[in-house]
């Protein structure tokens, strides 16, 4: 948790704690000495004073270590101040550091004595040791005397220009202290803050942002120029600095970017693709959706750079990132914080309390974020009451029709808890569930009625109060429950419960005409002994019965009113006078007495049982104000999203300057060595201008980089691009070093020879295999790869394309003819796959390893092709969707066809075969009421108008599983019936096969190590040890593409996930003694581990 008003001045990164620990360790060399030191014996302090006045540095150092040890133990060492301050000018650095640690602790208490050493501190500010300079500034800023403000101001200005980032960090800390001492120095301090904000050190960033938040949080113009720098430095800043920066950037983003939430409804409306719509109509809709909202690159930069911090070990950092995503991210992306927040529930109870409070607020608005982690909020017997109550609150917020039965069983256990406060809260939770979910209202009501017979009075009382609220929603059906509660009145003593029963009987007295007067009679007897709350309800009951059944209750009511007239409580007396004048007509009665019945027996609205956290969402999550549910001192409110985003160019100032400096540096060697120019002067000018653009693109969003990857790969594998397309690509490229350009240009002649050699080989291959020729007919000619290698070289590590393309090389591109499409080209050698009926063994295996290795050597060194290919094998296994008995004669089976791009690039194609096993027609077979997890989408098949007896038809369905094995549930309906069915994909069907070279495979594998790698050693069955069998087994189990391998014992496979297009690299390395190492590299570690578990039995079983 982070409170915006908390001080940051003495937090992490400083030397004091380290020195204190060092000193503490030296204080226990012997038990007697340590015991004597920490007793309240003044003689020991006298001993320390003598040591401090000694002429030996060793004695002084030993004394200072013992004194700092006292401070670390929490002992008071203030009486030693005069003796310590004498040593402030010591020439021994170790003594001086410890003296400064002591003075920082007591300078504020002993200001007069500290002022005597001002000149010493000023000299120390020039000390060559950075720790001494920093400590002197900290001590100086700790002396809270207005007379030294000018000296402090001068010291801060000098320290802000210090070469040491540690000293500059302490200057930022001193700014806050000086501002609290003298707010009139604000303008001068803002100048120092502006200077420190330009600092590129990660040590300074957190401290200066905290100073900004304390001194001038409204001056967001100071952040504009430093926004991108802060985003990029964030990952390396120390933890408490990260918290401060994230909270500041959250407020900044809410003022500079438009809301990503308003367009959700529009996008959802247009994303519902009508199956019968024409392509033109759909294109128009897509254009409208694209026009509605596009996220600012700087907005995306902030979200992308804070995402890795969700794995931080510091709970405050995780909480800060979570609140940032909650307040700034699109609703579809905010769910990534759920897992990190649930992880924090393993921390200590204080952290749990804060995290659960924030989750409780989140779960009210977006239940889907935490529904998958429902079991994480189950209450443990060891949890303290505050944690139990919060977990119960979250479980109640997450309750829905699907999980309510599970939760009610859990609540039944909680009601039996020995913690009575928690048991009462559980009963309230049951009441809220009954109100929110109408299907279980009667069940909950019956359960609460059963609790009325509980031995525990608190449980019974709370049940009565909740039943009263539930009965208000539909009282006509529950006369028996009211009678049952009236009988309990003699045994219940809790005032709130007694008052609730009396209110119920009075409100619905016409439904229990025989019982109500008797209840009034009994309570009239005990009126004087009742609680004030109960007395008020007795008066109300008498008034209502007087108006509805005056024959039986007239005298009783008058008796009760007389008792109330002389009651000790003025509330009771006032209510008695009011009721008497209203219901008993007399000469003094006013006009209101005519409407007494309407006033007392008016229809009351049913109470709303709401979460106590419902009103907290206007506070920023993770702050002290949110925890207290009231505005704390120093809290800075989040502003509303602007309707129109302010000018984003204000954040470009810093980047343009750095680009100019870079171009000047690049320009110097060119002037010194003009003979070594490779490009013309006009090209160099283009390079310089492109360098400016690239520096801006470096801080662009991750999505732009991914788009550049996809564009570059599609340009290589697609048709020949026009010159205008190439020029536009070169304009959007990023900065590239001169050395890389020169090396690329030097390899041009080699690439030409490689192209010619590849053409010759491709012609031979085209004559020997017609299927290979067909598969290559749609590919691009590699003859124009010379020009494209300059402007469109691809790096799979995420770098942008080159920014330049020479004018001399553009002309041949225009004049060059389109090559014959029947040839097999160099870039296609790894992409061989059949177009005919799919078989178990891929066509890539037709090429011998030696030929493959030769062809691999002919690849252009600057190009890498990773492209999705057609499926190698189609699984024949079918799964039952609907049994004929359950479907009343309608049966359905499904299998995964592994066809790409039918319903969209993110959808998995599923073939559903529907069979009519009855002797009559089945009409209007269609899909209805999809119950999909958040983010999952489904493309339905067109309704089947009629299916003849014994007839069968196969239709296609597209499902976006979001790279997970979650179940897609929906209803398969006919004209008369609906049947609940579900489809769950094996993880191998969430992949698309990919073709790549062995070199590219190893390159990508090298970038997906560590946490992105999962492996296992398996025992391989003897019949599964050959190459063909391994390929056949694996491509049947998972939709993988085969990667050529130059080694007989290593088999490689590659794929991309359908939804996020993340690479999935599979390696099978056969070892001795019939074992194999199975390795999977992917960013999607969960999918990787599941795939590993599914592939292990494939090779181990015969």
């Amino acid at each position: 948790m982070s409170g915006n008003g908390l001080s940051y001045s003495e937090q992490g990164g400083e030397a004091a704690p380290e020195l204190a620990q060092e000193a503490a360790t030296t204080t226990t060399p012997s038990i007697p000495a340590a015991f004597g030191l920490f007793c309240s014996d003044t003689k020991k302090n006298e001993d320390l004073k003598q040591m401090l006045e000694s002429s030996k540095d060793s004695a002084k150092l030993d004394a200072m270590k013992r004194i700092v040890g006292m401070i670390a133990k929490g002992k008071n060492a203030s009486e030693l101040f005069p003796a310590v301050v004498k040593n402030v000018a010591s020439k021994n650095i170790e003594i001086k550091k410890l003296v400064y640690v002591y003075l920082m602790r007591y300078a504020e208490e002993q200001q007069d004595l500290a002022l005597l050493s001002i000149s010493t501190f000023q000299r120390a500010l020039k000390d060559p040791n950075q720790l001494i300079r920093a400590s002197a500034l900290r001590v100086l800023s700790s002396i809270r005397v207005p007379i030294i403000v000018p000296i402090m101001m001068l010291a801060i200005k000098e320290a802000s220009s210090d070469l040491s980032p540690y000293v500059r960090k302490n200057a930022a800390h001193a700014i806050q202290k000086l501002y609290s001492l003298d707010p009139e120095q604000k303008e001068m301090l803002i100048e120092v803050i502006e200077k420190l904000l330009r600092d590129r050190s990660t040590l300074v960033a957190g401290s200066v942002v905290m100073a900004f938040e304390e001194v001038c949080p409204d001056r967001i113009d100071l952040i504009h120029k430093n926004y991108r720098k802060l985003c990029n430095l964030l990952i390396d800043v120390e933890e408490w600095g990260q918290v401060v920066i994230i909270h500041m950037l959250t407020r900044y983003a809410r003022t500079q970017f438009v809301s990503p939430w308003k367009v959700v409804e529009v996008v959802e409306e247009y994303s519902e693709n009508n199956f019968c719509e024409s392509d033109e109509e759909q294109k128009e809709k897509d254009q409208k959706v694209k026009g509605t909202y596009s996220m600012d690159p700087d907005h995306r930069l902030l979200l992308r750079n804070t995402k890795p911090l969700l794995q931080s070990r510091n709970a405050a950092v995780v909480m800060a990132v979570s609140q940032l995503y909650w307040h700034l991210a699109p609703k579809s992306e905010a769910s990534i914080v759920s897992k990190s927040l649930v992880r924090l529930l393993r921390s200590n109870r204080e952290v749990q309390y804060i995290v659960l409070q924030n989750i409780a607020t989140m779960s009210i608005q977006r239940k889907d974020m935490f529904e998958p982690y429902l079991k994480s909020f189950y209450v443990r017997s060891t949890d303290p009451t505050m944690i139990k109550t919060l977990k119960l609150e979250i479980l109640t917020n997450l309750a829905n029709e699907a999980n309510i039965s599970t939760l009610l069983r859990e609540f039944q256990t909680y009601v039996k808890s020995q913690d009575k406060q928690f048991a009462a809260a559980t009963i309230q939770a049951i009441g809220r569930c009954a109100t929110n979910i109408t299907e279980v209202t009667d069940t909950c009501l019956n359960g609460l009625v059963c609790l009325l017979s509980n031995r525990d009075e608190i449980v019974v009382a709370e049940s009565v109060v909740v039943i009263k609220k539930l009965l208000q929603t539909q009282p006509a059906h529950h006369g028996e429950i009211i009678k049952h509660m009236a009988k309990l009145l003699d045994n219940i003593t809790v005032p709130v419960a007694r008052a609730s029963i009396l209110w119920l009987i009075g409100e619905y007295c016409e439904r229990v005409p025989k019982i109500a007067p008797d209840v009034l009679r009994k309570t009239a007897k005990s009126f004087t002994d009742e609680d004030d709350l109960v007395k008020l309800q007795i008066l109300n009951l008498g008034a209502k019965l007087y108006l509805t059944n005056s024959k039986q209750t007239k005298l009783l009511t008058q008796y009760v009113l007389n008792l109330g007239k002389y009651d000790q409580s003025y509330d009771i007396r006032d209510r008695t006078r009011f009721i008497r004048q209203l219901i008993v007509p007399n000469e003094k009665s006013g006009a209101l007495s005519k409407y007494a019945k309407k006033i007392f027996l008016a229809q009351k609205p049913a109470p709303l049982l709401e979460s106590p956290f419902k009103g907290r969402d206007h506070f920023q999550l993770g702050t002290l104000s949110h925890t207290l549910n009231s505005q704390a001192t120093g809290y800075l409110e989040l502003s509303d999203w602007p309707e129109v985003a302010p000018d984003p160019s204000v954040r470009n100032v810093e980047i343009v300057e750095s680009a100019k400096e870079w171009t000047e540096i690049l320009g110097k060697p060119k002037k010194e060595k003009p003979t070594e120019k490779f490009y013309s002067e006009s090209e160099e000018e283009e390079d310089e201008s492109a360098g400016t653009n690239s520096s801006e693109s470096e801080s662009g969003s991750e999505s732009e980089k991914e788009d550049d990857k996809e564009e570059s790969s599609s340009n290589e594998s697609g048709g020949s691009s026009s010159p205008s397309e190439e020029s536009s690509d070169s304009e959007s490229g990023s900065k590239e070093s001169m050395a890389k350009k020169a090396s690329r240009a030097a390899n041009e002649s080699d690439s030409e020879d490689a192209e010619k050699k590849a053409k010759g080989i491709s012609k031979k291959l085209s004559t020997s295999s017609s299927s290979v020729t067909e598969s290559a007919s749609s590919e691009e000619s590699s003859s124009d790869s010379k020009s494209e290698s300059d402007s469109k070289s691809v790096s799979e590590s995420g770098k942008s394309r080159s920014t330049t393309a020479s004018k001399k090389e553009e002309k041949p591109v225009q004049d060059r003819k389109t090559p014959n499409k029947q040839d097999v080209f160099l870039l296609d050698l790894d992409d061989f796959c059949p177009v005919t009926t799919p078989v178990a063994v891929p066509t890539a295996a037709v090429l011998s390893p030696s030929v493959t290795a030769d062809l691999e050597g002919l690849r252009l060194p600057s190009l890498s092709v990773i492209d999705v290919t057609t499926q190698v094998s189609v699984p024949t296994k079918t799964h039952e969707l609907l049994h004929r008995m359950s479907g009343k004669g309608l049966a359905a089976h499904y299998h995964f066809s592994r066809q790409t791009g039918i319903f969209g690039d993110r959808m998995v194609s599923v073939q559903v075969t529907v069979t009519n096993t009855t002797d009559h027609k089945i009409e209007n077979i269609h899909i209805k009421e999809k119950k999909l997890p958040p983010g999952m989408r489904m493309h339905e098949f067109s309704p089947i108008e009629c299916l003849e007896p014994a007839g069968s038809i196969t239709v296609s369905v597209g499902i976006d599983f979001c790279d997970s094995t979650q179940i897609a549930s929906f209803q398969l309906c006919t004209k008369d019936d609906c049947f609940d069915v579900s489809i769950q994909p094996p993880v191998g069907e969430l992949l698309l096969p990919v073709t790549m070279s062995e070199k590219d495979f190893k390159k990508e594998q090298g970038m997906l190590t560590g946490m992105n790698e999962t492996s296992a050693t398996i025992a391989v069955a003897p019949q599964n040890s050959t190459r063909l069998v391994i390929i056949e087994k694996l491509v049947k189990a998972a939709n993988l593409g085969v990667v050529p391998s130059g080694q007989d014992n290593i088999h490689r496979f590659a794929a991309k996930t359908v939804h996020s297009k993340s690479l999935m690299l599979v390696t099978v390395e056969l070892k001795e003694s019939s074992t194999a190492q199975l390795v999977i590299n992917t960013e999607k570690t969960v999918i990787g581990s599941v795939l590993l578990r599914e592939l292990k039995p494939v090779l181990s079983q015969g």
Side-chain angles (χ1 to χ4, degrees):
M1 184 193 75
S2 170
N4 289 345
L6 300 179
S7 173
Y8 180 69
S9 58
E10 299 297 332
Q11 287 172 348
E14 299 179 2
E18 297 174 6
L19 293 170
Q21 290 175 2
E22 178 186 352
T25 56
T26 60
T27 60
T28 57
S30 62
I31 295 175
F35 178 77
L37 175 64
F38 296 123
C39 70
S40 58
D41 189 359
T42 55
K43 290 183 179 180
K44 288 298 177 184
N45 287 341
E46 289 295 329
D47 180 40
L48 288 171
K49 289 178 183 177
Q50 290 178 6
M51 293 173 69
L52 288 170
E53 293 172 358
S54 170
S55 59
K56 296 181 179 179
D57 284 351
S58 59
K60 290 180 179 180
L61 184 61
D62 187 41
M64 284 309 305
K65 286 182 177 180
R66 290 165 66 183
I67 291 169
V68 173
M70 290 172 63
I71 297 172
K73 293 284 187 179
K75 304 295 181 181
N76 185 11
S78 58
E79 63 179 17
L80 295 168
F81 193 92
V84 172
V85 81
K86 291 177 185 177
N87 294 283
V88 74
S90 174
K91 294 182 180 179
N92 187 305
I93 291 178
E94 294 301 319
I95 295 175
K96 187 178 284 189
K97 284 195 289 187
L98 290 175
V99 169
Y100 281 159
V101 170
Y102 178 88
L103 292 177
M104 274 183 282
R105 171 66 180 81
Y106 290 109
E108 196 167 346
E109 297 178 14
Q110 306 274 351
Q111 294 180 358
D112 294 338
L113 288 172
L115 282 173
L116 299 175
S117 306
I118 289 290
S119 58
T120 308
F121 299 143
Q122 288 179 292
R123 285 196 304 272
L125 290 171
K126 308 289 185 184
D127 195 279
N129 189 313
Q130 61 172 347
L131 292 177
I132 299 298
R133 296 199 302 274
S135 298
L137 181 61
R138 290 167 65 190
V139 175
L140 196 61
S141 60
S142 298
I143 303 173
R144 319 268 309 156
V145 180
I147 197 171
I148 66 165
V149 166
I151 298 174
M152 288 173 62
M153 190 72 240
L154 187 63
I156 291 172
K157 282 186 174 180
E158 289 180 359
S160 66
S161 303
D162 198 282
L163 293 176
S164 167
Y166 181 66
V167 178
R168 299 198 298 273
K169 175 188 179 74
N170 282 276
H173 290 169
I175 289 172
Q176 304 164 63
K177 297 180 181 179
L178 179 55
Y179 178 70
S180 63
L181 181 62
D182 186 8
E184 293 181 1
Q185 303 292 325
K186 181 174 180 178
E187 293 303 320
M188 296 179 70
L189 291 174
I190 289 176
E191 293 178 8
V192 181
I193 290 173
E194 186 174 8
K195 180 180 180 180
L196 288 174
L197 278 171
R198 294 197 293 268
D199 201 305
R200 294 186 174 276
S201 171
T202 55
L203 200 62
V204 181
S207 303
V208 69
V209 169
M210 189 64 216
F212 168 83
E213 291 280 81
E214 290 287 331
V215 178
C216 52
D218 55 332
R219 287 288 304 274
I220 59 170
D221 57 293
L222 301 179
I223 305 298
H224 289 323
K225 304 172 186 177
N226 305 289
Y227 171 81
R228 292 171 184 164
K229 181 195 72 179
L230 287 173
C231 288
N232 291 320
L233 288 181
L234 190 59
I235 194 73
D236 297 317
V237 176
E238 43 91 21
E239 291 170 339
W240 294 110
Q242 289 173 343
V243 173
V244 175
I245 294 173
I246 290 170
H247 277 277
M248 185 275 292
L249 291 178
T250 304
R251 287 195 308 106
Y252 177 85
R254 286 292 285 260
T255 64
Q256 299 300 308
F257 308 126
V258 294
S259 172
W261 305 334
K262 291 182 179 178
V263 296
V264 172
E265 293 88 6
V266 181
V267 173
E268 286 179 352
E269 177 186 344
Y270 285 112
S271 64
E272 292 292 335
N273 180 13
N274 190 342
F275 193 76
C276 300
E277 280 182 351
S278 65
D279 293 339
E280 293 180 359
E281 290 174 346
Q282 190 59 34
K283 284 179 182 177
E284 289 177 6
K285 285 191 173 185
D286 292 341
Q287 290 174 358
K288 288 181 182 178
V289 171
K290 289 176 183 176
T292 53
Y293 173 75
S294 61
M295 184 176 284
D296 190 297
D298 288 327
H299 191 172
R300 174 58 63 190
L301 174 70
L302 176 59
L303 295 176
R304 187 180 74 241
N305 285 10
T306 51
K307 184 178 178 181
L309 295 179
L310 287 171
Q311 300 176 15
S312 173
R313 63 182 178 177
N314 190 309
V317 176
V318 177
M319 192 65 248
V321 177
S322 300
Q323 66 84 26
L324 181 139
Y325 265 78
W326 175 260
H327 292 297
L328 299 182
K331 293 185 178 179
S332 59
E333 297 180 26
S335 58
I336 65 170
V337 307
S338 310
K339 189 173 184 180
S340 300
L341 288 175
V342 170
R343 173 173 61 86
L344 294 183
L345 298 181
R346 301 171 188 161
S347 308
N348 55 57
R349 60 177 62 182
E350 291 79 13
V351 173
Q352 286 185 55
Y353 179 73
I354 299 302
V355 172
L356 287 169
Q357 275 199 326
N358 288 277
I359 291 176
T361 302
M362 293 181 184
S363 61
I364 294 172
Q365 294 184 19
R366 305 181 196 169
K367 293 185 179 183
D368 55 317
M369 284 179 60
F370 297 98
E371 280 178 356
Y373 308 100
L374 189 69
K375 291 185 179 179
S376 300
F377 304 111
Y378 284 177
V379 174
R380 295 190 179 96
S381 58
T382 54
D383 288 337
T385 303
M386 60 179 184
I387 302 297
K388 288 179 180 177
T389 309
L390 283 171
K391 285 186 174 180
L392 185 66
E393 177 66 31
I394 295 168
L395 289 174
T396 310
N397 291 341
L398 298 180
N400 56 33
E401 294 85 350
N403 58 29
I404 186 62
S405 57
T406 307
L407 290 180
L408 287 178
R409 284 197 299 273
E410 192 76 10
F411 289 167
Q412 285 176 9
T413 309
Y414 299 164
V415 170
K416 301 172 185 176
S417 171
Q418 296 298 316
D419 186 344
K420 302 307 174 189
Q421 184 183 346
F422 174 57
T426 304
I427 294 170
Q428 292 179 6
I430 293 172
R432 274 178 55 197
C433 291
T435 306
N436 298 335
I437 305 169
T438 55
E439 288 85 351
V440 295
T441 302
D442 292 336
T443 306
C444 293
L445 199 53
N446 293 335
L448 291 172
V449 170
C450 293
L451 289 176
L452 294 177
S453 58
N454 196 293
R455 294 180 181 179
D456 194 327
E457 201 171 86
I458 296 175
V459 173
V460 175
E462 199 65 40
S463 302
V464 169
V465 174
V466 175
I467 288 172
K468 171 215 163 187
K469 293 176 181 177
L470 291 179
L471 289 181
Q472 282 184 260
T473 59
Q474 40 183 349
H477 308 294
H478 302 295
E480 291 300 321
I481 295 177
I482 297 173
K483 291 177 184 177
H484 181 66
M485 293 174 71
K487 295 176 183 176
L488 293 173
L489 198 60
D490 296 335
N491 301 322
I492 295 177
T493 58
V494 179
V496 179
R498 289 179 67 83
S500 297
I501 295 175
L502 291 172
W503 185 92
L504 270 176
I505 294 170
E507 187 68 18
Y508 307 114
C509 57
E510 294 177 349
R511 293 190 177 86
V512 283
K514 295 181 180 180
I515 294 176
D518 197 48
V519 170
L520 181 61
R521 178 182 62 80
K522 288 183 178 180
T523 52
K525 287 181 181 180
S526 59
F527 183 87
T528 54
D529 300 326
E530 298 286 359
D531 187 88
D532 286 356
L533 191 63
V534 181
K535 287 178 181 178
L536 289 173
Q537 292 304 326
I538 294 173
L539 290 171
N540 287 344
L541 175 61
K544 292 173 183 176
L545 289 175
Y546 185 90
L547 294 172
T548 57
N549 189 5
S550 59
K551 289 182 181 180
Q552 284 184 286
T553 59
K554 184 175 182 179
L555 293 174
L556 268 175
T557 303
Q558 289 178 353
Y559 173 72
V560 171
L561 291 175
N562 287 332
L563 289 174
K565 184 178 180 180
Y566 301 105
D567 196 87
Q568 291 181 350
S569 171
Y570 58 81
D571 282 339
I572 306 298
R573 297 197 300 270
D574 285 351
R575 178 68 64 88
T576 302
R577 283 193 291 270
F578 166 71
I579 291 175
R580 189 185 295 276
Q581 290 296 322
L582 200 58
I583 66 171
V584 182
N586 55 36
E587 296 176 358
K588 297 180 181 179
S589 297
L592 279 179
S593 59
K594 300 176 184 178
Y595 307 102
K597 195 166 186 177
K598 289 185 179 179
I599 292 173
F600 277 101
L601 300 174
Q603 188 71 28
K604 277 80 171 179
L608 292 175
L609 301 177
E610 293 182 340
S611 169
F613 288 85
K614 191 167 186 179
R616 294 197 186 192
D617 53 356
H618 62 280
F619 290 116
Q620 185 176 353
L621 294 184
T623 58
L624 182 64
S625 300
H626 176 268
T627 302
L628 301 176
N629 198 21
S630 64
Q631 188 161 324
T633 305
Y635 173 73
L636 301 170
E637 289 188 358
L638 281 179
S639 61
D640 294 328
W641 294 99
E643 292 294 330
V644 179
D647 183 13
S649 62
V650 293
R651 294 185 286 276
N652 295 342
V653 178
E654 180 91 12
I655 295 170
V656 172
E657 290 173 358
S658 63
K660 287 180 180 177
E661 293 170 6
W662 178 245
T663 53
E664 288 172 7
I665 293 169
L666 285 178
K668 289 178 183 178
K670 292 176 186 174
K671 291 179 182 178
E672 292 172 2
K673 298 180 181 180
T675 56
E676 294 184 5
K677 290 182 182 178
F678 186 80
Y679 295 97
S680 64
E681 292 179 2
S682 61
E683 292 168 352
E684 291 173 357
E685 292 171 2
E686 290 176 7
D687 292 345
E688 291 175 4
S689 64
T692 306
N693 294 334
S694 68
S695 61
E696 296 176 11
S697 67
E698 283 176 1
S699 61
S701 67
E702 187 180 60
S703 59
E704 288 178 343
K705 293 183 181 180
E706 292 173 354
D707 292 340
D708 287 346
K709 286 184 190 179
E710 294 170 3
E711 287 172 13
S712 59
S713 61
S714 64
N715 285 338
E716 290 171 2
S717 60
S720 177
S721 34
S722 65
S724 62
E725 291 172 342
E726 292 185 8
S727 62
S728 64
D729 285 346
S730 66
E731 287 173 4
S732 64
S734 66
K735 177 169 58 188
E736 186 174 305
S737 67
M738 295 298 293
K740 186 179 286 188
K741 293 176 185 174
S743 64
R744 189 198 320 137
N747 288 330
E748 281 187 358
S749 59
D750 296 337
S751 65
E752 287 180 357
D753 296 339
E755 291 164 13
K756 293 177 183 178
K757 187 175 180 181
K759 280 189 178 181
I761 295 174
S762 66
K763 288 178 182 178
K764 295 177 183 178
L765 292 171
S766 64
T767 57
S768 61
S769 175
S770 60
S771 62
V772 172
T773 308
E774 290 173 8
S775 65
S777 63
S778 62
E779 300 294 332
E780 175 192 8
S781 169
S782 64
S783 62
D784 59 355
S785 62
K786 174 184 176 182
S787 61
E788 291 188 358
S789 66
D790 291 322
S791 62
K792 299 183 180 179
S793 65
V794 178
S795 172
E796 286 299 317
S797 63
K799 295 182 180 178
S800 304
R801 295 187 298 271
S802 169
T803 60
T804 60
S806 65
K807 295 178 181 178
K808 294 179 182 179
E809 294 175 33
E810 287 179 0
K811 293 178 182 178
V813 174
Q814 297 172 358
D815 300 334
R816 196 173 292 136
K817 295 180 181 179
T818 305
N820 184 3
K821 292 186 177 181
Q822 294 300 320
D823 290 340
V824 176
F825 302 114
L826 180 62
L827 299 182
D828 305 327
L829 295 177
D830 294 328
D831 298 345
F832 295 139
C833 53
V835 180
T836 55
T837 305
V839 291
V841 182
T843 313
V846 172
L847 299 177
S848 66
S850 60
V851 174
T852 305
D854 292 339
L855 297 180
E856 181 60 32
L858 297 176
R859 289 177 51 81
L860 293 179
S862 62
L863 294 176
S864 61
V865 177
I866 300 177
D867 198 11
V868 176
T869 182
T870 56
Q871 68 277 12
V872 172
S873 172
V874 178
T876 56
K877 183 180 179 181
T878 61
H879 310 269
E880 187 176 69
L881 184 65
L882 179 64
H883 192 270
R884 60 185 180 84
M885 298 298 291
S886 305
K888 299 181 180 179
L890 181 68
H893 293 78
Y894 69 93
H895 74 280
F896 295 90
S897 61
R898 297 187 178 178
Q899 295 177 350
T900 58
I902 296 178
F903 303 106
D905 58 347
R906 293 189 173 189
M907 286 199 172
V908 177
S909 179
V910 184
Q911 298 279 1
V912 180
T913 302
V914 184
T915 307
N916 181 1
T917 63
T918 66
D919 54 359
H920 57 82
K921 293 180 181 179
I922 299 179
E923 298 179 350
N924 192 18
I925 302 172
H926 62 283
I927 289 177
K928 183 181 177 183
E929 198 173 329
K930 295 174 284 187
K931 297 178 182 178
L932 305 177
M936 194 180 287
R937 297 180 296 119
M938 181 175 180
H939 192 292
E940 308 170 8
F941 59 82
S942 298
I944 302 169
E945 294 181 0
C946 180
L947 188 60
E948 298 293 334
S952 180
I953 189 169
T954 300
V955 291
S956 294
V957 175
I959 304 176
D960 181 1
F961 287 103
C962 297
D963 292 347
S964 71
T965 55
Q966 295 184 83
I967 296 174
S969 300
F970 55 93
Q971 286 188 338
L972 186 63
C973 298
T974 63
K975 184 179 179 181
D976 304 316
D977 299 293
C978 286
F979 310 102
D980 290 325
V981 295
S982 60
I983 295 177
Q984 183 173 22
V987 72
E989 302 304 329
L990 302 176
L991 306 175
L992 293 174
V994 163
T995 57
M996 63 168 68
S997 67
E998 185 176 10
K999 179 181 176 183
D1000 291 335
F1001 185 96
K1002 291 178 180 178
K1003 181 180 177 182
E1004 293 296 333
Q1005 192 177 35
M1007 293 186 289
L1008 292 171
T1009 55
M1011 294 178 66
N1012 296 324
E1013 182 175 288
T1014 52
S1015 61
T1017 303
I1018 56 176
V1020 181
Q1023 62 270 34
N1024 294 344
S1025 58
T1026 63
R1027 176 179 177 80
L1028 292 178
V1029 174
I1030 290 174
I1031 293 174
E1032 180 183 357
K1033 292 265 187 184
L1034 259 63
V1035 298
K1036 275 188 177 181
N1039 198 10
L1040 301 171
V1042 182
V1043 177
S1045 175
Q1047 298 167 278
D1048 293 335
N1049 66 321
I1050 297 180
H1051 310 285
R1052 297 184 174 92
F1053 306 86
K1056 283 184 177 180
T1057 58
V1058 176
H1059 179 82
S1060 62
K1061 302 297 185 287
S1062 300
L1063 270 180
M1064 182 81 63
L1065 306 179
V1066 180
T1067 308
V1068 180
E1069 183 177 357
L1070 296 176
K1071 297 182 180 292
E1072 298 176 358
S1073 67
S1074 299
T1075 60
Q1077 181 81 5
L1078 180 59
V1079 182
I1080 296 180
N1081 302 81
T1082 180
E1083 292 177 353
K1084 300 284 185 180
T1085 53
V1086 176
I1087 295 182
S1089 59
V1090 176
L1091 182 62
L1092 183 75
R1093 193 164 61 242
E1094 290 192 5
L1095 292 183
K1096 281 164 66 176
V1098 171
L1099 295 176
S1100 60
Q1101 297 173 2

